[in-house]
Amino acid sequence: MRKPRRISTLTFLALLGLVLSGCGSVGERRSDAERAATGFERLLRADDPTGLCTALAPETRSELQQSEKASCEKAISSQGIPLGGTTHRVDLYGRQARIVLARDTLFLSLFPDGWKVVAAGCTPQPGRPYQCALKGG
């Protein structure tokens, strides 16, 4: 009886280690979020609608398609998302990130397959929420 229990404990500890290592440190998550935002900017510069749609959070992609009554690839180009420029600030709030760029602010969320853009083309409104050209529900 002891052997199966020991294996179960070792299995549990190994799984716990995998789960905890998947969370990453704050510095790693910050770097990953910034890298995702930089990738989104690169896709904007390259005018790559397929890549941009892949970089969007599922709800954002869905809302874009519903509001424009078109495929994401057709609709994304009409959103007027500016090129943001260099990163000025990265703020993390659990699984959410705000990336403040020189001329834009992006909001991202962490999904099982990585950071995805929830909102883009966002400008602050003093005393009110950001106004975003592209956002999810």
Side-chain angles (χ1 to χ4, degrees):
M1 285 287 177
R2 282 191 172 196
K3 222 174 198 176
R5 180 175 228 161
R6 184 172 182 206
I7 292 171
S8 296
T9 302
L10 290 175
T11 302
F12 172 77
L13 291 174
L15 288 173
L16 181 62
L18 286 173
V19 168
L20 292 177
S21 67
C23 295
S25 70
V26 172
E28 288 171 339
R29 286 187 299 125
R30 179 175 280 118
S31 293
D32 291 346
E34 184 175 6
R35 196 170 14 264
T38 301
F40 187 79
E41 288 290 305
R42 193 171 31 257
L43 293 166
L44 273 175
R45 272 193 305 284
D47 193 25
D48 180 352
T50 301
L52 288 167
C53 289
T54 300
L56 295 179
E59 276 191 37
T60 303
R61 187 179 328 117
S62 178
E63 185 164 314
L64 173 63
Q65 290 172 251
Q66 288 177 7
S67 67
E68 296 294 320
K69 297 187 183 0
S71 70
C72 180
E73 290 78 9
K74 288 184 180 180
I76 192 95
S77 301
S78 66
Q79 298 308 298
I81 303 167
L83 286 173
T86 58
T87 302
H88 285 214
R89 184 178 178 150
V90 178
D91 298 313
L92 290 180
Y93 307 96
R95 300 177 62 84
Q96 309 295 313
R98 178 180 70 164
I99 314 293
V100 179
L101 305 170
R103 293 173 300 281
D104 192 8
T105 298
L106 301 175
F107 290 90
L108 288 82
S109 187
L110 184 57
F111 289 85
D113 58 340
W115 289 95
K116 300 286 185 175
V117 175
V118 174
C122 301
T123 53
Q125 306 293 306
R128 298 189 334 233
Y130 277 76
Q131 182 69 38
C132 300
L134 176 67
K135 61 184 179 290

